[in-house]
């Protein structure tokens, strides 16, 4: 599949609760990502189960659903050359304790189950996840 230069992100409930939304958006902008669409929202349990369907057999699935529905999130579509890989590098390891210095999860997250931010893991999933939250008319 071609490189779309787009990825999808969510600033997760722990980061929102802890007042890191603005700092994280600044971090993303300073890294050269352009915001094509953005929305403050909250996932219902059914939306969360659909979004994380690939993890439904994992032992932490119920905790993941409870957590991601526990408060508001910011969903956004981002653009940069090689966006998926560049953004995964910017956010760091899933477990903030193993994330590199300077990454968003290292700076703003405290645990693997509340890790501040999501980044799509492939161009294909970026498109699926973007379509989950946005329609074509939302993308500027
Ligand atoms: P996302 O960007 O949120 O998709 O994270 P990721 O791609 O780095 O990790 P993955 O898709 O494998 O897992 C999705 C989410 O499930 C993670 O962000 C974690 O919050 C959670 N998770 C993954 N592995 C574990 C685990 O071993 N234990 C717990 N409690 N949560 C986990
Ligand atoms: Mg993932």
């Amino acid at each position: 599949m071609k490189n779309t230069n787009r990825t999808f992100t969510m600033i997760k409930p722990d980061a929102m609760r802890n007042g890191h939304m603005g700092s994280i958006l600044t971090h993303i902008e300073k890294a050269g990502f352009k915001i094509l669409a953005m929305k403050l929202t909250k996932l219902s349990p059914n939306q969360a189960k659909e979004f994380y369907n690939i993890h439904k057999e994992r032992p932490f699935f119920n905790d993941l659903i409870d957590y991601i529905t526990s408060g508001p999130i910011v969903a956004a579509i981002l653009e940069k050359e090689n966006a998926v890989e560049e953004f995964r590098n910017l956010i760091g390891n899933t477990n903030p304790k193993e994330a590199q210095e300077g990454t968003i999860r290292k700076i703003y997250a405290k645990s693997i189950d509340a890790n501040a931010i999501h980044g799509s893991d492939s161009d294909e999933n970026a498109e699926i996840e973007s379509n989950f939250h946005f329609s074509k008319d939302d993308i500027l």
Side-chain angles (χ1 to χ4, degrees):
M1 193 183 167
K2 73 171 171 45
N3 185 341
T4 58
N5 297 323
R6 287 184 185 181
T7 192
F8 171 81
T9 188
M10 293 189 299
I11 302 174
K12 295 183 179 180
D14 62 302
M16 299 295 289
R17 261 193 294 277
N18 295 330
H20 298 316
M21 178 188 74
S23 305
I24 290 174
L25 288 173
T26 299
H27 199 118
I28 291 169
E29 281 188 306
K30 285 198 169 143
F33 289 86
K34 186 177 163 196
I35 298 170
L36 300 184
M38 186 162 72
K39 158 161 85 179
L40 177 66
T41 184
K42 192 178 168 193
L43 294 179
S44 70
N46 281 340
Q47 284 177 308
K49 284 177 197 162
E50 192 182 332
F51 188 85
Y52 280 123
N53 189 45
I54 66 166
H55 297 306
K56 66 174 184 295
E57 306 300 339
R58 310 274 286 272
F60 56 83
F61 184 69
N62 288 338
D63 291 341
L64 179 60
I65 300 306
D66 287 347
Y67 157 68
I68 205 70
T69 58
S70 68
I73 60 156
V74 166
I77 301 173
L78 305 174
E79 183 179 66
K80 187 184 180 179
E81 204 175 313
N82 201 19
V84 166
E85 192 183 341
E86 289 277 311
F87 196 70
R88 296 283 289 191
N89 291 339
L90 188 74
I91 70 180
N93 194 288
T94 308
N95 185 349
K97 293 188 174 73
E98 288 166 25
Q100 251 190 308
E101 290 301 328
T103 59
I104 292 176
R105 281 170 170 161
K106 183 71 174 186
I107 300 168
Y108 299 108
K110 291 190 177 68
S111 71
I112 190 166
D113 35 55
N115 59 7
I117 192 156
H118 165 78
S120 304
D121 60 12
S122 66
D123 282 21
E124 192 189 2
N125 283 335
E127 188 156 358
I128 293 168
E129 293 167 3
S130 297
N131 291 340
F132 187 89
H133 287 276
F134 298 101
S135 70
K136 293 275 178 278
D137 292 344
D138 296 324
I139 300 169
L140 303 178

